[in-house]
Amino acid sequence: MLLVFYAFGMAACLACMYFIRRLSESHRTTIYACPVKGCGVSIQAVGSSDAELERLRNLAVDHSKHGPDA
């Protein structure tokens, strides 16, 4: 019986850790979308450096880099 309580407790702890991790990742998620009407390009970055975020933002907002004529 003690083993059942231990297993349940471990499962509950792991589930809490998973949800806490997902919550912290959501605060570090950045989304950039192309401002051109009708363009569905969007970039989602999780935990990226400032330099990488700048590069991804420039890519997303410059339609000539990813549009149909790119």
Side-chain angles (χ1 to χ4, degrees), residues 3-70:
L3 187 58
V4 171
F5 287 125
Y6 177 74
F8 180 75
M10 287 299 295
C13 285
L14 289 173
C16 286
M17 288 171 46
Y18 171 78
F19 287 119
I20 289 170
R21 182 173 157 238
R22 295 293 296 173
L23 183 63
S24 70
E25 284 179 359
S26 69
H27 290 292
R28 295 181 296 144
T29 300
T30 305
I31 300 174
Y32 299 113
C34 181
V36 174
K37 187 175 180 176
C39 182
V41 171
S42 67
I43 298 173
Q44 179 177 348
V46 177
S48 299
S49 68
D50 290 339
E52 182 68 8
L53 288 174
E54 182 66 21
R55 187 186 74 78
L56 293 172
R57 185 188 67 78
N58 289 335
L59 177 63
V61 299
D62 188 354
H63 187 71
S64 67
K65 292 183 180 176
H66 64 263
D69 300 330

